[in-house]
Amino acid sequence: MSGPFPWQVRASPAHWRYRVLGLATAAALALTGGTAPAKAGGIDWNAVGRAIGRPLQSEAGGVHTAEWLRTDLHVVNAGVRENPGMELNAEASFHQTAPGRALMIGEVTLTGPEVNRVADRLRQGGVEITALHKHLQDETPRLWWMHYWAQGDPVRIARTVHTALAQTGIPLHQPEGTEPPVALDTAALDRVIGARGEDEHGVLQYHIPVAQKITDTRAHVTLPYLMEASTLLMFQPLGAGRAAVNGDFTMTADQVNPVINALRSHGMTIVELHNHMLYEQPRLFYLHFWETGNATALARTLRAGLDQVHAPRR
């Protein structure tokens, strides 16, 4: 690949997430650059970051995350060159469940030859695979999304995730830098969606929490919304007010077909319906979608879907 794309250089996402943190936490993050505090409740999150290969970011709800973009891939879907910020990535999110113990939920975008190599390394380290499926319908190269889960010693889990990701072409030592702006009328889209989007690598992302309390019955913990308990909407600018949209609606069983009906009645392409986890209650289903067009019109379609899952307007 000749030279970096504008979205390949990433800044800390903490700037965009201060609004969902308490004021005291936000002030602390401002002093530390958004990285996780050294210790919280007996867990040394800096040690977890060292084990996984990059500093963790502190997020809302006591979540600590690591993310890598698949800047090594040249992905085209339905004629659109995909920004890696459209969830072409690897990620791991940790949440403390007991002194010295954490729940980890994550996913990674993989090429076909990488799937079983990564699965074997995760399995050998005690990390369970919870889903393997598609998020796109017409992409080259062909890609898979693997979801994984573990609980226990977060340093051990982090080391396993790092070892597994080393079996891929993902550049694990990605520098931080200036966040490229989203070339869309984000204020107008916020009004239509009814929430505030975040700039993630030049892509406008919305995380809309589900209305219900979601419990991981094996870890005995209520899932923070950033750990698979929210709908993800993503807008990649295409110029002249146009965008490509992708993401997934997170739904209970009774909401699945109302959302499908709302999206299809507006011409939105439905890609795949599946689960991401094994132990959640109530059971959640994830509907992936894709479309290109006028960004505001696409936002109205997505808002029609949000109305079916009772997502409030902020």
Side-chain angles (χ1 to χ4, degrees):
M1 186 165 49
S2 63
F5 303 115
W7 54 76
Q8 286 187 7
V9 183
R10 186 183 182 214
S12 166
H15 170 78
W16 296 99
R17 292 176 176 138
Y18 289 162
R19 62 186 177 83
V20 295
L21 299 172
L23 291 177
T25 303
L29 289 177
L31 295 174
T32 61
T35 56
K39 286 191 177 183
I43 293 179
D44 185 343
W45 292 110
N46 285 339
V48 180
R50 289 191 295 271
I52 210 166
R54 76 187 289 112
L56 300 182
Q57 299 291 329
S58 294
E59 312 279 7
V63 177
H64 303 273
T65 64
E67 181 188 21
W68 302 259
L69 298 181
R70 291 233 57 167
T71 55
D72 58 307
L73 297 178
H74 177 123
V75 178
V76 177
N77 182 66
V80 174
R81 175 72 178 275
E82 286 256 322
N83 180 328
M86 292 284 274
E87 216 174 30
L88 303 177
N89 66 352
E91 58 187 42
S93 297
F94 295 83
H95 180 67
Q96 183 173 348
T97 57
R101 291 176 58 84
L103 170 68
M104 187 280 300
I105 293 176
E107 67 177 283
V108 58
T109 307
L110 299 171
T111 63
E114 295 170 340
V115 168
N116 286 296
R117 296 200 300 266
V118 170
D120 287 345
R121 293 304 177 98
L122 291 174
R123 180 175 52 83
Q124 290 163 10
V127 174
E128 299 183 11
I129 296 165
T130 60
L132 178 66
H133 48 232
K134 311 291 290 183
H135 287 188
L136 298 171
Q137 82 281 24
D138 189 31
E139 80 284 2
T140 55
R142 299 296 285 166
L143 299 174
W144 296 87
W145 279 260
M146 179 180 289
H147 296 254
Y148 39 83
W149 178 102
Q151 64 172 333
D153 176 4
V155 172
R156 178 187 60 79
I157 295 169
R159 192 174 296 119
T160 295
V161 172
H162 183 270
T163 300
L165 296 182
Q167 306 306 306
T168 74
I170 299 171
L172 296 180
H173 301 287
Q174 296 179 9
E176 305 230 349
T178 303
E179 193 82 70
V182 175
L184 291 168
D185 186 346
T186 58
L189 296 176
D190 288 353
R191 286 193 295 272
V192 175
I193 296 296
R196 182 180 173 185
E198 299 175 351
D199 180 350
E200 294 286 348
H201 324 296
V203 168
L204 185 65
Q205 292 191 7
Y206 295 89
H207 291 270
I208 314 294
V210 299
Q212 303 87 345
K213 182 177 80 170
I214 307 300
T215 301
D216 186 304
T217 60
R218 191 172 178 189
H220 306 291
V221 64
T222 298
L223 290 177
Y225 78 91
L226 289 174
M227 297 180 77
E228 299 290 3
S230 59
T231 286
L232 172 63
L233 311 177
M234 299 182 290
F235 289 74
Q236 176 180 328
L238 299 180
R242 300 179 71 254
V245 293
N246 188 219
D248 49 17
F249 276 83
T250 303
M251 310 161 293
T252 54
D254 59 313
Q255 295 169 341
V256 169
N257 280 286
V259 170
I260 291 175
N261 291 339
L263 297 185
R264 287 300 303 142
S265 67
H266 291 83
M268 184 72 67
T269 298
I270 302 304
V271 177
E272 187 147 332
L273 174 67
H274 49 231
N275 300 97
H276 286 181
M277 298 183 287
L278 299 177
Y279 309 112
E280 82 282 6
Q281 287 295 330
R283 292 290 283 154
L284 294 177
F285 299 84
Y286 299 80
L287 180 71
H288 292 262
F289 55 87
W290 167 270
E291 199 57 68
T292 61
N294 176 270
T296 303
L298 294 172
R300 292 193 187 101
T301 297
L302 296 175
R303 181 64 232 184
L306 290 173
D307 289 340
Q308 307 308 310
V309 297
H310 314 298
R313 295 177 181 270
R314 297 179 188 174

